[in-house]
Amino acid sequence: MAGLPGGRDAPPWRRTEGIGSARVDTPSTALKTGALGNRDRGGAKAMTDASKTRREPPTSPHLVTGGLGSPLLWRWHITMWTSILHRATGCALYVGGLIAAAWAIALAQGPERYADFKQLLGSWPGKVVMLGLTACVFYHLASGVRHIIWDSGHGLDLKSANATSVMVFAFAAAATLAIWGLASMTGALG
Amino acid sequence: MTSYRTPLGRARGLGSAKHGAGHWLSERVSAIALVPLVIWMVYGILRLSGGDYGFAVHWIQDPLNATLTVLTFAISFWHMHSGVRVVVEDYIHKTLTKSVLLLINLFICGLAGALAIFSILKVALGGGAL
């Protein structure tokens, strides 16, 4: 190890060992509340007694992965899901738009092609796609309204962002269930 | 708030991206227009899925349905193009790949939108083979 540029004998600011290693000695509650801050673990003691205690180099919280199964400082949050899913559902609806265009073309091509198109969408895979697209439409709709509210300068604080995330998911689920329930009652599912 | 813009830059109103807020605004305007249109569209799909070809032709020949369907298609494809354009610009950084994907996006939206609107107009104006 002696000759390595980032090894044990390197000066503290050059040492790379410990970065990204499994040495997470922080209680998971501190990790969950994000109370880690810039705390230099054992740093204060090491500063006064440098010769006896090997000082841990400061580690970026995002590098403390701790390996499999250990607590992460970085974690998924509901607002990340809403943000990513807004794009993902938007891309899925791109396909939905093309399916809608195919419907219009089939309609213009006459009864046979229209019947073929309806048969395709009415099949099991077709119904699964349509169910997914229904969820995507309602998700993207609610999430888009949330974005427009943000653009007007409202609801940008953490509490509102979290609450509206839950509302977006709840609306998408409820509206999808309601429409498919309605479809099955009106006989639209064939 | 201190502004670092020159008076000329402010008068031009094009900002650091050199094309102003036009794209951003058009995405929002189309989004707001799509809120009622999409809710109407879901209702329309629900009705159309229960009916056959004859019902669909009859439905599209209603001026209100024809107009709203054309508007939904036009604004949807406009909005789809804007949205996917931003996704490509965000994630693809190689100039050639990015340009090709942006062109494909534009051409797909333009072609599919034109085909859909022409088809609706054809049936709405009496071209449905009944």
Side-chain angles (χ1 to χ4, degrees):
Chain A
M1 287 294 274
L4 288 173
R8 270 171 200 280
D9 297 314
W13 60 90
R14 299 290 296 272
R15 257 182 249 151
T16 52
E17 62 174 320
I19 294 174
S21 76
R23 305 186 66 162
V24 182
D25 54 1
T26 315
S28 57
T29 47
L31 288 167
K32 275 185 186 140
T33 52
L36 193 64
N38 257 341
R39 195 159 63 102
D40 189 359
R41 297 189 259 319
K45 199 184 169 194
M47 288 282 263
T48 54
D49 203 0
S51 58
K52 283 175 190 165
T53 323
R54 189 173 290 276
R55 191 154 72 96
E56 280 287 307
T59 319
S60 164
H62 296 88
L63 290 173
V64 184
T65 60
L68 290 168
S70 69
L72 286 166
L73 178 67
W74 188 91
R75 67 197 163 88
W76 279 99
H77 199 274
I78 189 165
T79 45
M80 300 182 198
W81 281 113
T82 39
S83 172
I84 290 167
L85 279 173
H86 189 69
R87 282 214 156 163
T89 51
C91 292
L93 289 170
Y94 199 91
V95 180
L98 297 181
I99 294 176
W103 165 80
I105 295 165
L107 182 68
Q109 280 174 336
E112 292 87 18
R113 299 298 289 271
Y114 191 75
D116 289 346
F117 181 87
K118 278 206 73 178
Q119 201 181 15
L120 191 66
L121 280 198
S123 67
W124 268 109
K127 274 181 186 152
V128 170
V129 169
M130 287 305 279
L131 179 64
L133 285 174
T134 314
C136 287
V137 162
F138 285 125
Y139 180 88
H140 201 81
L141 179 71
S143 183
V145 169
R146 181 170 173 255
H147 273 274
I148 289 166
I149 294 169
W150 277 346
D151 293 337
S152 75
H154 296 88
L156 287 160
D157 60 296
L158 195 60
K159 221 175 158 183
S160 309
N162 286 338
T164 48
S165 286
V166 176
M167 283 159 68
V168 165
F169 280 114
F171 172 80
T176 305
L177 283 176
I179 286 298
W180 279 73
L182 211 60
S184 70
M185 278 193 286
T186 54
L189 297 182
Chain B
M1 201 168 84
T2 321
S3 175
Y4 294 98
R5 297 215 174 283
T6 62
L8 180 62
R10 269 180 56 203
R12 283 185 178 140
L14 297 178
S16 58
K18 311 281 185 251
H19 53 64
H23 180 271
W24 189 89
L25 269 175
S26 90
E27 216 177 343
R28 266 69 190 171
V29 171
S30 56
I32 293 168
L34 280 172
V35 171
L37 284 175
V38 159
I39 294 171
W40 172 84
M41 181 197 77
V42 170
Y43 165 74
I45 293 174
L46 201 58
R47 291 207 59 197
L48 286 166
S49 57
D52 59 356
Y53 174 78
F55 176 79
V57 169
H58 189 71
W59 189 83
I60 270 300
Q61 285 179 343
D62 181 286
L64 181 69
N65 291 335
T67 309
L68 289 181
T69 306
V70 167
L71 279 178
T72 307
F73 270 122
I75 301 171
S76 290
F77 279 105
W78 177 271
H79 188 79
M80 277 160 58
H81 173 256
S82 308
V84 169
R85 187 195 170 106
V86 173
V87 171
V88 170
E89 285 171 347
D90 277 358
Y91 300 134
I92 314 292
H93 304 301
K94 271 177 76 179
T95 312
L96 182 65
T97 320
K98 184 165 81 176
S99 310
V100 168
L101 286 174
L102 288 177
L103 271 183
I104 291 174
N105 178 35
L106 177 64
F107 291 169
I108 287 179
C109 289
L111 180 67
L115 278 170
I117 290 168
F118 180 83
S119 302
I120 294 298
L121 290 178
K122 181 191 169 217
V123 178
L125 299 174
L130 269 173

